[in-house]
Amino acid sequence: MKRGDVSELAGSVGVGAWTAFTVLAVNAVGGDGGPLWGDRSLLTWSLHHRPTMLSALARGVTATGTGAFPYLLVTIAGVLAGRTARQRLTAAALGLACLAGGQALRYGLMEALHRARPPRVDWATAASGWSFPSGHATTAALTAGLLVIALTLRAPRGGTALRVAVGCWGALVGLTRVYLGVHWFSDVVAGWLFAVGWLGLCLCVTAHWLPAACLAPPAPQERAPQDPGRGGRSHPA
């Protein structure tokens, strides 16, 4: 795919995600921060389906969506995306900047929107701060998106199962926040939309700035021409 096509596609997807995020934010804040469609029913379902082992597993998964782990994965994504030491360093730096910038913007939106979390009595894990958009869902989705981009650049015709697994991990972190009762489902959806919108913006800008060679898939290796005199009888000139 050409650099201009990458930029245009990323920009279009980003604009669509930001539009949907804005609509969701208006509804969430306009309703005094109360639950939206399906929020309360999903919380009620989770309250009645929390066996000890499953709750512990959910807490383990949700822990991967915060702290140093996402930054480690993004660094790995940068190493995978580049084909030279300089490209790997640049890709890792850009990925970390994308993740950190998204975190800062998301935190600012949380403070501005001031949506309260579900009732504390329903929580099955610790949480702090405001609720919209979900920080864990945003972080995991951003990290998963950067990893999928890196895997696509590295192996455009392979690695489908790995990309699907990475995407499922990103979604599952967000869903555990609802299961553990610390976020409404609309908070998680907002986190996913925010991540898609921010990734689209970052990729759109990066596609304009990076050299075209960085976005090109690796060229297939050509087989060296064989010496006609090897492996057979040589013919006199």
Side-chain angles (χ1 to χ4, degrees):
M1 186 178 289
K2 296 180 180 178
R3 180 166 54 175
D5 295 336
V6 172
S7 178
E8 183 177 351
L9 177 61
S12 299
V13 172
V15 168
W18 282 123
T19 302
F21 175 85
T22 302
V23 171
L24 186 56
V26 168
N27 280 275
V29 177
D32 295 325
L36 300 180
W37 334 277
D39 280 348
R40 192 173 294 281
S41 60
L42 286 172
L43 177 60
T44 301
W45 180 90
S46 73
L47 289 172
H48 293 88
H49 296 83
R50 285 183 186 167
T52 303
M53 184 177 296
L54 199 55
S55 295
L57 178 62
R59 283 190 287 269
V61 172
T62 207
T64 64
T66 189
F69 187 67
Y71 289 91
L72 175 61
L73 290 180
V74 170
T75 303
I76 294 173
V79 172
L80 287 174
R83 294 195 289 278
T84 66
R86 184 175 181 179
Q87 286 182 2
R88 289 167 184 156
L89 182 60
T90 300
L94 288 173
L96 291 171
C98 176
L99 181 57
Q103 293 282 56
L105 180 58
R106 185 265 310 166
Y107 182 80
L109 286 171
M110 289 180 73
E111 290 296 317
L113 295 175
H114 277 167
R115 189 189 195 191
R117 293 178 182 270
R120 186 178 292 269
V121 68
D122 297 330
W123 295 6
T125 191
S128 61
W130 299 103
S131 190
F132 187 98
S134 166
H136 282 68
T138 302
T139 304
L142 279 172
T143 303
L146 290 167
L147 269 170
V148 168
I149 292 171
L151 290 169
T152 302
L153 288 172
R154 181 77 171 190
R157 297 182 181 180
T160 300
L162 185 55
R163 287 195 289 267
V164 170
V166 169
C168 288
W169 165 77
L172 191 59
V173 170
L175 293 176
T176 60
R177 306 304 287 170
V178 182
Y179 180 75
L180 295 171
V182 292
H183 276 291
W184 301 112
F185 181 61
S186 52
D187 298 330
V188 172
V189 173
W192 292 339
L193 290 172
F194 178 93
V196 173
W198 182 247
L199 275 175
L201 175 61
C202 291
L203 187 56
C204 180
V205 173
T206 302
H208 275 295
W209 179 71
L210 279 181
C214 294
L215 298 175
Q221 293 183 350
E222 297 181 358
R223 297 180 62 183
Q226 294 183 352
D227 185 353
R230 297 179 60 186
R233 188 178 297 173
S234 59
H235 299 281

